[in-house]
Amino acid sequence: QVQLVESGGGLVQPGGSLRLSCAASGSIFSINYMGWYRQAPGKQRELVAQITTGGRTNYADSVKGRFTISRDNAKNTVYLQMNSLKPEDTAVYYCRLVKLGGIYYWGQGTQVTVSS
């Protein structure tokens, strides 16, 4: 089993920044990639960004140039630096870990609210 613990969410004004963290523990071997997804009320969960063990990244068009995903392999932690936040970024953000072979795990989610 894999446990994912997210932190760093909160309330921020438009234009502000937040940094999310996701720490993985447990059977953390054969990791293919980790990523961040988000789900706003009444909407489907969507990919925000993902990063492979080799450091290759992929972003949703809506966050390109504003969000940066990174990882510390030694700490088994992935980060999401979110800048220039907009009200439409408001959502619950979930961490996801995908192993080679396709097995995946979700974190419990952390709320991000962008509002003045």
Side-chain angles (χ1 to χ4, degrees):
Q1 283 293 331
V2 172
Q3 294 79 43
L4 301 172
V5 178
E6 299 122 330
S7 60
L11 173 64
V12 64
Q13 292 187 341
S17 298
L18 282 175
R19 188 193 194 206
L20 306 183
S21 299
C22 173
S25 62
S27 301
I28 47 175
F29 53 85
S30 300
I31 297 174
N32 189 1
Y33 61 90
M34 295 181 70
W36 289 94
Y37 288 69
R38 67 186 181 187
Q39 187 167 19
K43 294 189 176 181
Q44 289 189 331
R45 193 171 297 188
E46 62 176 3
L47 172 69
V48 177
Q50 61 188 37
I51 185 167
T52 67
T53 51
R56 190 169 67 247
T57 59
N58 181 42
Y59 294 92
D61 288 343
S62 59
V63 306
K64 283 181 180 177
R66 301 188 297 122
F67 292 10
T68 302
I69 189 169
S70 61
R71 64 187 294 167
D72 184 334
N73 289 334
K75 295 182 178 180
N76 297 307
T77 299
V78 65
Y79 306 96
L80 186 68
Q81 178 66 43
M82 305 185 293
N83 299 327
S84 302
L85 282 160
K86 305 175 181 180
E88 52 262 44
D89 294 317
T90 296
V92 178
Y93 283 69
Y94 297 90
C95 179
R96 186 183 191 221
L97 182 150
V98 181
K99 289 192 172 184
L100 296 172
I103 298 173
Y104 60 91
Y105 302 86
W106 291 101
Q108 81 285 355
T110 185
Q111 177 69 48
V112 171
T113 302
V114 185
S115 175
S116 56

